[in-house]
Amino acid sequence: MTTTTPSDVRPDPPHSPDDRSLAEFGYRQELHRSLGKYASFAAGFSFISVLTTVFQFFAFGYAFGGPVFFWAWPAVLLGQLTVAACFAELAARYPISGAIYQWSSRLSNLTFGWFAGWIMVIGQIVVVAAAALALQMVLPAIWSGFQLVGADPAPTSTDGAANAALLGVVLLALTTLVNVLDNRVMSVINRIGVTAEIIGAVLIVVLLLTHSERAPGITFHTGSAAQSGLFGALLVGSFTAAYVMIGFDSAGEMSEETHHPRRTAPRTILTALGAAGLLGGLIVLGGLLAAPSLTDGHLAVDGLSYVLTSSLGDGVGKVLLADVVVAIAVATLAIQTAACRMLFSMARDGRLPFSARLARVNARTGMPTAPALVVGVLAAALLLLDFVSPEAFLAIGTTCIVMLYLAYAMVTGPLLRARLRGRFTTTGTDETGAPLFSLGRWGVPVNALALLYGLAMAVNLAWPRAAVYDPAGGHWYFQWFTVLFLGVTVAAGVAYRAYKARTRVTAEAVAPA
């Protein structure tokens, strides 16, 4: 007997070995498995998005750290590489969407894992909003007509903050549409965007270094910009690097859509972070060396956009800035996709409000539509804070970093405990028969460093520095925004779980014997 498949359904091959791997964890293949090695790399690289994040936070790092803030970059890169190495092991062992939630649940318990996933998905939604805000650092520098609100494009001004929110909402509408269409369309856009970003980043590095105005030794100076001494300058300057080098785990988030995920995801996690770390560090260095002036105030306000247009000329500079716009759009798309997969994974286990709807996958597109709409709407709502005060720009950016760092620690912590108790091994083979990625005897020391680094950086980022979060004064809630937002997130999670537990007990009590 023969069966027919509706023309609008594109099922995966029925005998895919990757599907059998997913079945081992009790799930059936619903998302379309169509991503190869480069697409997996693009998922991680586009989330990090060097051009988006460096252009967005370079001015901030320089304003508080001066040239010496460059040295926070290699320190953060080394710390994040320890985290990425741990995640690479987990991606090989647990190739499932909703990576942070799935990994933490299996290394600890369902409750702890649920909170890791809850904090991660809320953090990802905030990151989507923060990434969309980056357009304000670039579009008005290309053409003044993109300044739709007022005349001052600086994101720290009232006009700039409001305009950033407006541009961000438009971008979110477009990325939400793509996240509803088809995962193959999304993958093509992602790969083209990442390729353009890498080419643009390399060109920016080469052009900046060949237009140097000073020697690299300038990076050992704090300059007049540093407001709290060398150590303080490095701590606050590390915000830029910390914001850039997050999201490499998204290659693991896309495991259920990747061919040979046990082999591919670990390598692309490390490759994406390594490539982004190298390119980003060189861009920061090139910007410091090529800036027309380190003391005229432009670098601490306009950042790298000022360097490109001033040092390379309006023509070349604006072409490169256009490439940055592409990178920002693709980054926002990738981050939203990662958040959608986290929502889908938790909803599939029945662990979120409206789980049945959030876990539904469109058979034709292979995309979970409801999560895309939820992430887009909530991220757009966060952007409205920019209409309240310009300080919201920094508050949103820092909050998302802290939440992701905490979620990462909720994986590296249980993983370290499992190692010490001998409950975590990486024996086995990937889809090609090769041994799974493993740190071997370096597992415990690397894991310990990853946990300590993550916790220390989370405290550093969340510390309520008035000079950083409320420079104008009078907005205490922005100074404490990160702590307050995290507290509300955890409280909401506790309340939801208590409600679910109470309704379950009630349902059991009224059930017929």
Side-chain angles (χ1 to χ4, degrees):
M1 185 176 72
T2 61
T3 59
T4 59
T5 302
S7 59
D8 63 344
V9 176
R10 190 180 58 227
D12 291 303
H15 301 299
S16 168
D18 299 331
D19 297 353
R20 292 198 297 271
S21 175
L22 185 59
E24 294 174 9
F25 300 101
Y27 300 114
R28 61 189 179 89
Q29 187 71 42
E30 293 183 278
L31 304 174
H32 291 177
R33 199 178 287 278
S34 61
L35 307 183
K37 293 179 182 178
Y38 189 69
S40 178
F41 163 81
F45 189 90
S46 56
F47 193 123
I48 300 172
S49 189
V50 171
L51 293 185
T52 299
T53 46
V54 172
F55 272 78
Q56 189 174 14
F57 273 83
F58 180 95
F60 172 81
Y62 185 82
F64 282 91
V68 78
F69 96 97
F70 165 78
W71 292 105
W73 192 277
V76 171
L77 175 58
L78 289 174
Q80 289 294 69
L81 280 172
T82 62
V83 179
C86 293
F87 285 5
E89 284 188 307
L90 292 168
R93 185 169 177 177
Y94 305 114
I96 317 172
S97 291
I100 299 298
Y101 157 68
Q102 295 285 352
W103 297 343
S104 184
S105 296
R106 285 168 166 75
L107 293 168
S108 54
N109 56 61
L110 290 174
T111 298
F112 190 84
W114 185 90
F115 275 102
W118 176 249
I119 291 173
M120 183 68 182
V121 76
I122 299 299
Q124 286 174 325
I125 292 171
V126 182
V127 178
V128 175
L133 286 174
L135 282 179
Q136 182 62 24
M137 297 297 296
V138 184
L139 281 180
I142 296 176
W143 178 48
S144 59
F146 286 117
Q147 184 63 36
L148 305 173
V149 179
D152 188 351
T156 53
S157 69
T158 302
D159 290 348
N163 198 67
L166 187 60
L167 294 175
V169 169
V170 173
L171 177 57
L172 286 172
L174 294 175
T175 58
T176 300
L177 176 62
V178 174
N179 259 304
V180 169
L181 288 176
D182 191 297
N183 74 335
R184 296 190 183 186
V185 173
M186 177 199 68
S187 176
V188 169
I189 294 174
N190 213 17
R191 283 177 291 173
I192 293 174
V194 165
T195 302
E197 179 172 4
I198 292 174
I199 293 172
V202 171
L203 285 175
I204 289 172
V205 168
V206 171
L207 290 172
L208 289 179
L209 293 180
T210 55
H211 286 74
S212 295
E213 299 282 342
R214 55 194 64 83
I218 192 67
T219 58
F220 291 99
H221 296 265
T222 57
S224 59
Q227 301 180 7
S228 52
L230 177 60
F231 185 65
L234 288 172
L235 286 179
V236 180
S238 67
F239 284 29
T240 301
Y243 182 72
V244 173
M245 288 180 271
I246 54 173
F248 44 84
D249 56 291
S250 58
E253 292 281 6
M254 305 298 289
S255 288
E256 291 184 30
E257 294 155 88
T258 304
H259 295 301
H260 304 316
R262 292 181 188 271
R263 181 173 182 81
T264 301
R267 288 161 175 76
T268 52
I269 285 173
L270 293 170
T271 305
L273 177 60
L278 176 61
L279 284 174
L282 290 174
I283 291 173
V284 171
L285 177 62
L288 292 171
L289 300 186
S293 172
L294 299 181
T295 58
D296 63 2
H298 282 292
L299 206 58
V301 176
D302 303 317
L304 285 174
S305 297
Y306 154 73
V307 179
L308 286 187
T309 54
S310 300
S311 299
L312 306 179
D314 272 354
V316 175
K318 289 183 178 180
V319 169
L320 293 173
L321 287 178
D323 188 64
V324 176
V325 173
V326 174
I328 292 171
V330 173
T332 306
L333 172 64
I335 299 165
Q336 185 174 6
T337 302
C340 291
R341 298 306 178 269
M342 179 67 75
L343 277 176
F344 164 74
S345 184
M346 295 182 72
R348 179 173 55 182
D349 288 351
R351 299 188 174 278
L352 289 175
F354 310 106
S355 285
R357 186 67 187 88
L358 291 171
R360 194 176 304 164
V361 176
N362 186 302
R364 181 181 62 82
T365 65
M367 303 285 270
T369 302
L373 297 174
V374 169
V375 174
V377 170
L378 292 180
L382 277 173
L383 292 183
L384 298 180
L385 288 174
D386 251 31
F387 283 102
V388 177
S389 174
E391 280 78 14
F393 177 85
L394 182 59
I396 291 173
T398 308
T399 297
C400 67
I401 313 172
V402 172
M403 296 187 74
L404 264 63
Y405 266 81
L406 286 177
Y408 288 175
M410 294 177 77
V411 173
T412 55
L415 176 59
L416 179 60
R417 185 180 65 173
R419 289 186 198 275
L420 295 175
R421 294 184 175 183
R423 294 194 296 107
F424 180 79
T425 60
T426 51
T427 56
T429 59
D430 61 27
E431 296 86 356
T432 66
L436 295 177
F437 177 88
S438 174
L439 291 173
R441 62 180 180 175
W442 292 99
V444 170
V446 169
N447 197 159
L449 286 173
L451 177 60
L452 292 173
Y453 159 77
L455 293 174
M457 185 59 76
V459 172
N460 174 41
L461 294 167
W463 200 264
R465 300 173 176 89
V468 174
Y469 298 115
D470 188 23
H475 298 94
W476 65 269
Y477 43 86
F478 280 124
Q479 181 180 344
W480 291 89
F481 186 86
T482 298
V483 177
L484 292 172
F485 193 92
L486 180 61
V488 170
T489 299
V490 173
V494 170
Y496 172 70
R497 289 189 62 83
Y499 167 77
K500 289 292 290 184
R502 190 164 55 249
T503 54
R504 183 171 58 250
V505 170
T506 303
E508 292 174 352
V510 300

